Amino acid sequence: MPPRHRPPEALLAALTTGRSRSERLTHTEHLPARPARHSSWPDSIRPEIVASAQALGVERPWAHQAEAMKLAKTGQTMVLATGTASGKSLGYLAPVLSDLLDGTEAPNGRGATALYLAPTKALAADQRRRAAELVPSRVRPALYDGDTPPEEREWVRQYASYVLTNPDMLHRGILPAHARWSSFLKALKYVVVDECHSYRGVFGSHVAQVVRRLRRLCARYGSEPVFLLASATTADPATTAERLTGLPAVAVTEDASPRGPLVFALWEPPLTENVGEHGAPVRRTATAEAGYLLTDLVEAGTRTVVFVRSRRAAELVALQAQDQLGAPLAARVAAYRGGYLAEERRSLERALYSGRLLGLASTSALELGVDVSGLDAVLMAGYPGTRASLWQQAGRAGREGQGALAVLIARDDPLDTYLVHHPEALFANPVEATVLDPDNPHILAPHLCAAAAELPLGESDLHLFGPSTAQLLPVLEKRGLLRRRGGNSWYWTRRERAADAVDLRGSGGNPVQIVESSTGRLLGTVDASAAHTTVHTGAVHLHQGRTYLVQDLDLETSVALVEQADPSYTTAARDITSISVLGTDTTIDWGEARLCFGSVEVVNQVVGYLRKRIATGEVLGETKLDLPPRTLRTRAVWWTVTEDQLLDAEIPFDQLPGAAHAAEHASIGLLPLFATCDRWDIGGVSVPLHPDTQLPTVFVYDGHSGGAGFAERGFQRAEQWLTATRDAIAACECDRGCPSCVQSPKCGNGNDPLDKAAAVRLLDVLLADAPGRAAQAGDG
């Protein structure tokens, strides 16, 4: 029986009726429908491609697709940044496949080649299928990743015209072996970078340098490929594309695809009788609330996807709904877990589309590249981290023009709480810009070594790799990694492969291997910088939907031994941190207050961990640890206030530590609203009297060597960021501070001391003379 489609307003009314749920709805936004705008097929697209697209139901392209096709065919670096289900794939595939078809007429049948980069292997596999649907078989698309058998790899190198891979494989497998890829690189006409908004922070900065190495080798073989990028809607996508590729780019952003009306609800779970640290009130978890709402929607015959942040949470939401529904409806709810084969994914998608499956609890795997349409509702258990991801997930509903419901369910943390009470932060602001810093010397240096190993570096390469290159080469030479010859050429000196020293998804240092003690099986790795807090002895570690307990962390061998378990608790590391200023790049005076950005050294030591009950967040106990301190040189934003300002704010010295600590926690929680980062990517320190500034100081720093651009974005948006921080604390309904405002899940001091009321007064006096406030006072 096909599912019933009900107007989204009726669905929301049913969810809020009875059971004291109406007060949980904090805001409802109504987004109108958008009609389609079509365009003609550009003359430059081959008729075979047009015919294949029409056979698949695309009679004419939407206007943004046609614009992207025309730009690509003129050789312009282009980024297509439109909404979910707006047909971005066709926008770049049509010109790429047209040129590859032209290339089949060359004597060797491969007069043109193209390279496709995706952040995940699953997305590359989906794209290979789409390409095969559009183009005759004489164009040969092929996957080249870690799963490609050795015998197939040689065929791909010699014969494939469209190679679909990921940045990791390009970095480790293709660029170091470029001589074997010479015929492919010589004919390289296009490079497609899909889902480019996911290349942010340290990972994005690494990928930007991999792209520069690719461009350098292409020039060596006489090609100059056109870069085509696809992105979710982000702020300033052209700048993101330029940072990733090093080339000037044009953005196509006006979405001409049709969209049904969307009702977007913000939802805050109720307070429970449980208490957390220092007796703070605790809300029902977002995953538990999502399970209840999913149950109601499935009972109403509504096709629904729930997005959660972990595979374990996906399982829990599905199980909760199944238990509450009972037979026969329980069979119509499933979890979308990691490790599915493409056929299994297609089966789930077909079941959801046809209505055999009504409810699906999924991680963000459904957010990227998986084609699910015809949904009536999307529930999001927690803010997904960026507005770009939020709209990607919400866009999964209503994709056939019918009305749809999206519900953001707040987790018990400052950012989620702020958003559900400040809807303008979601609906009146553009999505954030993607933050990356390819010039970070800690990232650039190993890529210069890898580039020198591929082809000796010369003076002409200095501009390509960025402004820090000239200063770094002598440093690498002094360390014996590069040797200078003939005055202006640098060579790699070691026997080992330079590319193996770079972990694209980490930040340097030997990654810690996670090994199952009973079998010796390698489960995965954790960045060295994160190992002390995530895989310390006693830590609960999640891997592919399974839970493990860390039995021992051996720092000498960089191995964490784990055993599968099912504890009723999670763990949170406790640490102590000190910070010193190495150099100040920029200073801005806000009256007596001062805002700074520069380089710092952070010394951090994990001293223990808390055990917290999964369902409630209740603290069950604390265990001490003996781990060595770690030193991090990074970038930070910090602010100071004077003694006179503290007097104005009525903050006596005994209240200052709690006020600064609470303001620090809340500002870390709110920074992801202004920079594409997670709160776990950044850290903070608050000091009542810092030795370097001689003033009360709050620091927020990047948790990666050399910085990742997050603190810099905080400095650039400081007034908006710190105003949002102040408002988030003031609006929280708790008395003395809770996880929704000033308590942090990763606080090294056990969330003590914290003074919520004094933090608001401290931020008021800090912001009193900020430029925007001063202008408002002048207007008055």
Side-chain angles (χ1 to χ4, degrees):
M1 184 180 77
R4 303 187 298 276
H5 178 70
R6 298 170 65 194
E9 293 83 0
L11 290 177
L12 185 59
L15 290 179
T16 52
T17 301
R19 285 175 287 187
S20 303
R21 280 194 187 162
S22 58
E23 68 272 15
R24 301 180 201 176
L25 183 66
T26 62
H27 179 78
T28 307
E29 191 82 9
H30 295 265
L31 303 173
R34 179 182 62 213
R37 287 188 297 108
H38 289 93
S39 190
S40 301
W41 287 97
D43 294 338
S44 56
I45 304 302
R46 296 265 303 217
E48 299 96 321
I49 306 296
V50 173
S52 296
Q54 289 174 335
L56 292 169
V58 183
E59 193 59 38
R60 289 188 300 150
W62 291 317
H64 64 270
Q65 292 173 318
E67 184 184 354
M69 294 174 197
K70 290 173 185 173
L71 285 168
K73 292 293 283 186
T74 62
Q76 174 69 56
T77 299
M78 180 275 299
V79 55
L80 181 53
T82 51
T84 313
S86 60
K88 290 187 284 284
S89 296
L90 183 62
Y92 59 74
L93 273 174
V96 168
L97 297 178
S98 290
D99 277 26
L100 295 184
L101 260 181
D102 291 342
T104 62
E105 292 155 13
N108 67 353
R110 194 166 76 156
T113 60
L115 183 69
Y116 170 92
L117 297 176
T120 66
K121 289 191 286 189
L123 184 52
D126 270 0
Q127 286 294 312
R128 180 181 177 275
R129 175 184 58 80
R130 292 186 184 187
E133 289 174 344
L134 283 170
V135 75
S137 58
R138 64 181 185 273
V139 170
R140 299 181 288 265
L143 291 170
Y144 191 83
D145 57 33
D147 297 336
T148 307
E151 61 275 11
E152 277 186 39
R153 294 187 181 193
E154 187 59 37
W155 183 91
V156 174
R157 277 192 291 267
Q158 291 189 22
Y159 302 109
S161 48
Y162 189 34
V163 173
L164 300 101
T165 187
N166 51 63
D168 312 78
M169 198 66 179
L170 176 62
H171 159 65
R172 289 183 183 275
I174 296 177
L175 298 182
H178 62 88
R180 303 177 71 186
W181 285 85
S182 58
S183 65
F184 178 86
L185 294 172
K186 195 178 297 183
L188 191 60
K189 187 76 182 286
Y190 291 104
V191 177
V192 176
V193 184
D194 204 359
E195 303 291 354
C196 71
H197 62 281
S198 64
Y199 300 125
R200 60 180 185 260
V202 169
F203 179 43
S205 303
H206 276 299
V207 172
Q209 292 299 347
V210 171
V211 168
R212 283 154 177 76
R213 285 163 49 202
L214 171 65
R215 286 178 50 208
R216 179 171 174 261
L217 290 175
C218 286
R220 162 72 173 77
Y221 290 108
S223 64
E224 193 177 342
V226 176
F227 282 81
L228 309 178
L229 300 92
S231 171
T233 305
T234 63
D236 204 359
T239 298
T240 299
E242 288 171 16
R243 282 202 164 188
L244 267 176
T245 64
L247 296 164
V250 173
V252 177
T253 58
E254 198 168 331
D255 195 332
S257 62
R259 184 187 69 194
L262 178 68
V263 173
F264 204 131
L266 304 182
W267 190 281
E268 186 172 44
L271 290 167
T272 66
E273 295 177 355
N274 302 304
V275 294
E277 288 184 280
H278 311 296
V282 176
R283 293 190 179 277
R284 180 185 290 157
T285 66
T287 49
E289 191 80 346
Y292 287 116
L293 298 184
L294 177 62
T295 301
D296 286 2
L297 288 166
V298 169
E299 280 181 335
T302 305
R303 277 176 295 194
T304 307
V305 164
V306 183
F307 283 108
V308 294
R309 289 173 67 93
S310 72
R311 290 165 175 172
R312 179 187 176 90
E315 302 278 3
L316 289 173
V317 169
L319 282 171
Q320 181 185 337
Q322 288 164 351
D323 287 346
Q324 291 170 348
L325 288 164
L329 277 178
R332 302 181 74 178
V333 174
Y336 194 96
R337 299 188 304 273
Y340 269 49
L341 299 174
E343 302 79 52
E344 294 171 312
R345 288 205 314 273
R346 296 283 170 260
S347 174
L348 269 177
E349 291 155 20
R350 284 194 300 271
L352 190 62
Y353 183 81
S354 68
R356 292 197 306 278
L357 197 62
L358 281 174
L360 196 64
S362 172
T363 60
S364 59
L366 271 178
E367 182 186 317
L368 297 180
V370 180
D371 187 18
V372 179
S373 56
L375 297 178
D376 300 310
V378 167
L379 305 176
M380 290 163 276
Y383 181 60
T386 64
R387 288 188 289 273
S389 288
L390 181 86
W391 290 110
Q392 284 277 99
Q393 293 182 358
R396 289 295 171 201
R399 298 180 69 189
E400 289 190 324
Q402 85 273 26
L405 172 67
V407 183
L408 172 62
I409 305 165
R411 287 176 303 152
D412 201 3
D413 100 339
L415 181 54
D416 285 40
T417 304
Y418 177 81
L419 290 172
V420 295
H421 290 285
H422 294 80
E424 70 281 358
L426 291 176
F427 302 115
N429 283 326
V431 292
E432 42 294 92
T434 303
V435 176
L436 63 149
D437 180 16
D439 205 41
N440 177 341
H442 295 267
I443 289 166
L444 175 57
H447 284 285
L448 290 175
C449 293
E454 290 152 7
L455 205 65
L457 286 165
E459 293 281 350
S460 59
D461 297 317
L462 299 185
H463 176 70
L464 173 66
F465 286 105
S468 295
T469 306
Q471 293 97 340
L472 275 176
L473 288 175
V475 175
L476 296 171
E477 188 181 354
K478 192 174 180 180
R479 287 167 55 190
L481 296 170
L482 298 181
R483 180 180 294 125
R484 190 171 188 170
R485 293 181 189 164
N488 59 357
S489 292
W490 286 267
Y491 291 75
W492 173 245
T493 61
R494 306 293 181 89
R495 286 178 176 271
E496 62 267 25
R497 281 169 31 115
D500 292 342
V502 187
D503 175 15
L504 294 195
R505 297 173 192 264
S507 56
N510 290 326
V512 172
Q513 296 185 311
I514 302 167
V515 176
E516 191 171 31
S517 57
S518 58
T519 64
R521 184 167 62 104
L522 178 66
L523 299 179
T525 60
V526 171
D527 295 346
S529 59
H532 288 209
T533 54
T534 57
V535 289
H536 56 76
T537 301
V540 174
H541 179 72
L542 288 172
H543 178 76
Q544 292 195 345
R546 294 188 177 88
T547 308
Y548 296 84
L549 272 178
V550 180
Q551 297 172 316
D552 183 55
L553 171 61
D554 189 330
L555 295 173
E556 287 189 15
T557 59
S558 295
V559 170
L561 291 175
V562 304
E563 198 57 69
Q564 195 166 341
D566 191 22
S568 60
Y569 59 87
T570 60
T571 51
R574 290 292 182 239
D575 57 4
I576 53 175
T577 304
S578 62
I579 193 166
S580 55
V581 176
L582 299 177
T584 305
D585 291 8
T586 315
T587 299
I588 298 174
D589 290 332
W590 287 356
E592 292 180 34
R594 181 166 285 182
L595 184 77
C596 304
F597 173 71
S599 297
V600 296
E601 182 175 85
V602 182
V603 179
N604 173 269
Q605 184 174 17
V606 174
V607 294
Y609 65 93
L610 294 182
R611 298 185 308 281
K612 294 183 174 184
R613 198 181 301 279
I614 290 173
T616 64
E618 178 187 354
V619 176
L620 301 175
E622 182 173 359
T623 303
K624 301 295 182 187
L625 289 170
D626 182 22
L627 287 166
R630 295 179 60 87
T631 299
L632 171 72
R633 290 195 168 199
T634 185
R635 308 283 273 167
V637 54
W638 63 93
W639 49 267
T640 62
V641 292
T642 64
E643 198 171 317
D644 286 345
Q645 288 180 295
L646 294 178
L647 288 171
D648 291 342
E650 299 180 1
I651 300 175
F653 197 78
D654 62 329
Q655 289 182 13
L656 179 56
H661 194 199
E664 171 220 324
H665 278 186
S667 64
I668 289 171
L670 269 292
L671 183 55
L673 193 60
F674 302 90
T676 45
C677 65
D678 189 277
R679 74 178 299 155
W680 301 94
D681 292 325
I682 48 182
V685 178
S686 53
V687 187
L689 184 66
H690 193 274
D692 293 333
T693 64
Q694 293 296 305
L695 290 167
T697 311
V698 174
F699 295 85
V700 175
Y701 61 85
D702 291 344
H704 302 277
S705 291
F710 305 134
E712 183 175 12
R713 182 54 58 93
F715 178 77
Q716 293 165 349
R717 301 286 304 280
E719 187 171 351
Q720 298 98 314
W721 165 41
L722 294 172
T723 299
T725 301
R726 180 256 175 233
D727 293 346
I729 302 171
C732 187
E733 61 193 88
C734 73
D735 293 327
R736 293 182 297 134
C738 70
S740 292
C741 58
V742 297
Q743 287 192 349
S744 167
K746 58 174 188 167
C747 177
N749 299 308
N751 283 300
D752 185 55
L754 292 174
D755 191 323
K756 175 185 173 181
V760 174
R761 298 198 301 275
L762 179 62
L763 288 164
D764 278 337
V765 78
L766 168 71
L767 289 159
D769 290 315
R773 298 286 181 96
Q776 288 173 8
D779 292 342

